[in-house]
């Protein structure tokens, strides 16, 4: 059975491909260690499936973004993964925080995150949600529709001030899967620059008493590996900024270029590092502002995946191994694990690629091409489409999937009444459960029976 052309059997199945794993991950006699802890011992305590979060790695990546983009405000995008502990690490590493729902705001506030350093996103914020954010003193609300502007006007009429950014669609299509490319025109986010809606939104916010317009916001998509998409977007957004300056005599002090910095899920992915992106993006903005004759706005970015994605891996226990005869005589090895699309929907939703490794023992068995699948009632319940695993992979083995920090726990579901796994932070040989495993009581607490 052949997998994709780029996938080759590892020469040493005990070696990790470093850029797919968090910085403290290593194999010791075939056992995977993260944060100074052997995962077989860790999961003996917490069970599987479990997300293992390498705290040192998370902090190092957050710090790398803050240092590389030192003249920017770096907002960690909490939608990738947010918990009280993570919000505190973000604050301690000197980053700001993006939330995109009322409940994410609650987590941030519960963590004691300074409201003035929180940005609030979303394409459908209710009056109640907006009022709460403004009353809490959230530093910036990114408006996404004329309805929201009206809602903020009515809040401001009660004597409150809202600091606002306007999300615009720059008409750039990031080269990623369609559902995660957000800046082409036919989608739900932002005000179109081309149609004139973005300019009109600026006019309305500027005319509204109690609304303070900080600047324009553009997010072009996800899993972006170079600065070319940002370049086109920045050029278009700055052209709008120049028009605003010329026609409305207003200099907008800030501009946000969004998130979307890519990470490596497989050996095929080769993301740029933050320092390189920072240099390129700053040059683009500087050059464009000079050409347009406008002052450079203070820039901000919103990385989520690039900070938390590689910092986490998911550990599963193998339950069954099945060899399936395909047309033409090839055999595919199906390895079923004790989680699946309820803890990682990205493979089913985005056709995402992942890799994995045997985490509980070494093996000299010849590698076989395997497909790692979950235990849910859905044929598309695939965790890793193709990976070489030792041919003696068997029930009871542990498998670890790297790069599951972003959009896995945060998108996890209770499909088949699955209990969402815990997030266990590991650092210097110490494990802390920062999000506990759900229980059947948690699930049944919302089931009101047949009264
Ligand atoms: C507005 C906005 N900012 C930032 C992000 C974070 O993107 P990523 O996690 O890919 O960096 C997203 C992701 O959807 C987003 O919609």
């Amino acid at each position: 059975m052949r997998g994709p052309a780029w996938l080759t059997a590892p020469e040493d199945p005990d070696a990790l491909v470093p850029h797919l794993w968090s910085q403290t991950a290593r194999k010791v006699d075939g056992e995977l260690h993260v944060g100074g802890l052997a995962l077989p011992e860790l999961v003996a305590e917490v069970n599987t499936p479990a997300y293992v979060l390498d705290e040192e790695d998370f902090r190092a990546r957050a710090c790398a973004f803050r240092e590389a983009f030192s003249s920017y405000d770096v907002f960690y995008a909490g939608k990738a993964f947010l918990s009280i502990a993570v919000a505190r690490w973000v604050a301690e590493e000197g980053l700001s925080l993006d939330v995109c729902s009322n409940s994410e705001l609650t987590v941030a506030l519960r963590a004691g995150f300074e409201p003035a350093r929180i940005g609030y996103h979303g394409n459908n914020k209710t009056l109640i949600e907006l009022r709460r954010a403004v009353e809490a003193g959230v530093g910036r609300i990114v408006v996404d529709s004329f309805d929201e502007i009206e809602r903020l006007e009515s809040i401001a009429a009660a004597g409150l001030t809202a600091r606002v950014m306007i999300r615009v669609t720059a008409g750039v299509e990031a080269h990623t899967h369609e559902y995660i490319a957000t800046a082409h025109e036919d989608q739900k986010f932002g005000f179109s620059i081309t149609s004139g809606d973005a300019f009109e939104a600026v006019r309305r916010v500027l005319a509204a008493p109690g609304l303070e317009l900080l600047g324009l916001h553009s997010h072009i998509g996800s899993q972006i590996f170079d600065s070319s998409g940002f370049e086109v977007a920045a050029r278009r957004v700055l052209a709008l900024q120049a028009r605003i300056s010329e026609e409305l005599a207003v200099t907008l002090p800030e501009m946000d270029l969004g998130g979307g910095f890519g990470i490596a899920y497989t050996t095929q992915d080769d993301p740029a590092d933050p320092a390189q992106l920072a240099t390129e993006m700053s040059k683009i903005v500087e050059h464009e502002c000079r050409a347009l004759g406008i002052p450079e706005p203070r820039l901000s970015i919103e990385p989520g995946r690039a900070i938390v994605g590689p910092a986490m891996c998911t550990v599963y226990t193998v339950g069954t191994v099945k060899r399936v005869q395909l047309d033409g005589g090839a055999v595919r090895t199906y390895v079923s694990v004790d989680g699946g699309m309820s803890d990682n929907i990205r493979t089913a939703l985005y056709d995402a690629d992942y890799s994995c490794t045997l985490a509980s023992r070494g093996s000299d068995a010849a590698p076989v091409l395997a497909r790692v699948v979950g235990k849910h009632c859905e044929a598309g319940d695939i965790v890793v489409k193709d990976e070489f695993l030792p041919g003696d992979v068997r029930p009871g083995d542990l498998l670890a999937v790297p790069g599951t920090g972003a959009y896995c726990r945060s998108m996890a579901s209770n499909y088949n009444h699955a209990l969402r796994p815990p997030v266990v932070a590991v650092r210097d040989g110490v494990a802390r459960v920062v999000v506990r495993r759900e229980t059947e009581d948690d699930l049944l607490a919302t089931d009101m029976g047949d009264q």
Side-chain angles (χ1 to χ4, degrees), residues 21 32 34 39-40 42-43 46-52 312-318 337-339 343 357 359-360 397-402 404 421-422 437:
W21 292 87
L32 182 62
V34 182
L39 295 196
L42 177 69
V43 301
V46 301
N47 214 339
T48 57
Y51 302 100
V52 177
M312 248 195 254
C313 65
T314 310
V315 191
Y316 301 99
T317 302
V318 173
V337 294
D338 52 353
D343 58 73
T357 193
S360 46
D397 279 339
L398 297 179
L399 291 188
V401 177
T404 57
R437 187 182 303 284

Side-chain angles (χ1 to χ4, degrees), residues 201-336:
V202 169
R203 234 187 28 74
R204 285 208 208 165
V205 170
L206 287 173
L211 301 196
E212 182 189 342
L213 183 56
L214 299 176
L216 305 175
H217 179 291
S218 149
H219 170 78
I220 57 169
S222 288
Q223 270 300 81
I224 298 162
F225 285 172
D226 63 42
S227 59
S228 54
F230 290 111
E231 178 167 5
V232 182
R235 214 176 270 146
R236 293 186 182 162
V237 177
L238 286 167
L240 174 61
Q241 188 120 329
R243 181 179 168 205
I244 292 162
S245 162
E246 196 180 307
E247 294 184 28
L248 305 175
V250 171
T251 301
L252 298 179
E254 297 187 25
M255 177 169 130
D256 193 304
L257 290 169
F261 307 91
I263 65 167
Y265 286 107
T266 71
T267 52
Q268 287 308 282
D269 300 328
D270 185 21
D273 78 353
Q276 184 190 338
L277 285 167
T279 308
E280 289 171 9
M281 288 167 72
S282 299
K283 239 190 244 161
I284 291 163
V285 173
E286 189 191 325
H287 174 269
E288 223 36 51
C289 286
R290 198 169 333 112
L292 290 162
I294 57 172
E296 276 182 57
R298 181 170 175 83
L299 296 170
S300 48
I301 52 164
E302 302 168 339
R305 181 192 319 266
I307 292 175
V308 73
M312 248 195 254
C313 65
T314 310
V315 191
Y316 301 99
T317 302
V318 173
T320 64
V321 178
K322 209 186 258 184
R323 306 199 199 271
V324 175
Q325 188 95 30
L326 307 180
D327 291 345
V331 171
R332 195 198 294 283
T333 302
Y334 275 88
V335 178
S336 296

Side-chain angles (χ1 to χ4, degrees), residues 3-343:
W6 52 264
L7 189 68
T8 51
E11 276 173 26
D12 175 3
D14 266 358
L16 298 176
V17 179
H19 71 287
L20 301 181
W21 292 87
S22 67
Q23 289 164 21
T24 71
R26 49 193 46 85
K27 286 261 184 104
V28 181
D29 297 330
E31 288 187 340
L32 182 62
H33 288 228
V34 182
L37 286 170
L39 295 196
E41 278 174 41
L42 177 69
V43 301
E45 296 287 320
V46 301
N47 214 339
T48 57
Y51 302 100
V52 177
L53 171 56
D54 185 338
E55 177 177 349
E56 200 178 314
D57 185 272
F58 180 98
R59 287 181 182 270
R61 287 178 203 276
C63 180
F65 265 98
R66 181 178 40 73
E67 285 177 356
F69 289 86
S70 58
S71 61
Y72 291 47
D73 293 310
V74 179
F75 286 74
Y76 169 69
K79 69 198 76 177
F81 173 70
L82 190 63
S83 72
I84 290 172
V86 158
R88 291 198 177 134
W89 302 348
V90 169
E92 284 162 13
E93 295 306 325
L95 275 63
S96 299
L97 177 65
D98 259 352
V99 297
C100 66
S101 74
N102 207 23
S103 310
E104 285 184 6
L105 179 59
T106 301
V107 175
L109 296 176
R110 189 71 67 81
F113 209 94
E114 191 187 333
R117 288 177 48 209
I118 297 176
Y120 195 132
H121 272 283
N123 67 303
N124 179 12
K125 306 184 234 11
T126 66
L127 184 62
I128 291 169
E129 289 166 344
L130 287 167
R131 185 176 298 121
R132 179 193 185 212
V134 174
E135 282 174 353
V138 157
R140 58 192 214 181
I141 292 174
V142 184
V143 297
D144 196 278
S145 65
F146 291 114
D147 296 307
E148 276 185 8
I149 295 175
E150 265 175 39
R151 287 171 201 159
L152 283 171
E153 280 174 332
S154 76
I155 292 165
L160 295 163
T161 301
R163 290 157 61 83
V164 165
M165 295 199 88
I166 292 177
R167 180 160 177 177
V168 302
T169 17
V172 180
E173 190 166 341
H175 294 290
T176 53
H177 190 282
E178 189 186 354
Y179 300 118
I180 44 178
T182 56
H184 54 292
E185 298 283 339
D186 187 10
Q187 44 96 10
K188 69 174 184 171
F189 290 111
F191 293 94
S192 160
I193 295 180
T194 326
S195 73
D197 279 357
F199 187 78
E200 177 57 17
V202 169
R203 234 187 28 74
R204 285 208 208 165
V205 170
L206 287 173
L211 301 196
E212 182 189 342
L213 183 56
L214 299 176
L216 305 175
H217 179 291
S218 149
H219 170 78
I220 57 169
S222 288
Q223 270 300 81
I224 298 162
F225 285 172
D226 63 42
S227 59
S228 54
F230 290 111
E231 178 167 5
V232 182
R235 214 176 270 146
R236 293 186 182 162
V237 177
L238 286 167
L240 174 61
Q241 188 120 329
R243 181 179 168 205
I244 292 162
S245 162
E246 196 180 307
E247 294 184 28
L248 305 175
V250 171
T251 301
L252 298 179
E254 297 187 25
M255 177 169 130
D256 193 304
L257 290 169
F261 307 91
I263 65 167
Y265 286 107
T266 71
T267 52
Q268 287 308 282
D269 300 328
D270 185 21
D273 78 353
Q276 184 190 338
L277 285 167
T279 308
E280 289 171 9
M281 288 167 72
S282 299
K283 239 190 244 161
I284 291 163
V285 173
E286 189 191 325
H287 174 269
E288 223 36 51
C289 286
R290 198 169 333 112
L292 290 162
I294 57 172
E296 276 182 57
R298 181 170 175 83
L299 296 170
S300 48
I301 52 164
E302 302 168 339
R305 181 192 319 266
I307 292 175
V308 73
M312 248 195 254
C313 65
T314 310
V315 191
Y316 301 99
T317 302
V318 173
T320 64
V321 178
K322 209 186 258 184
R323 306 199 199 271
V324 175
Q325 188 95 30
L326 307 180
D327 291 345
V331 171
R332 195 198 294 283
T333 302
Y334 275 88
V335 178
S336 296
V337 294
D338 52 353
M341 64 193 300
S342 59
D343 58 73

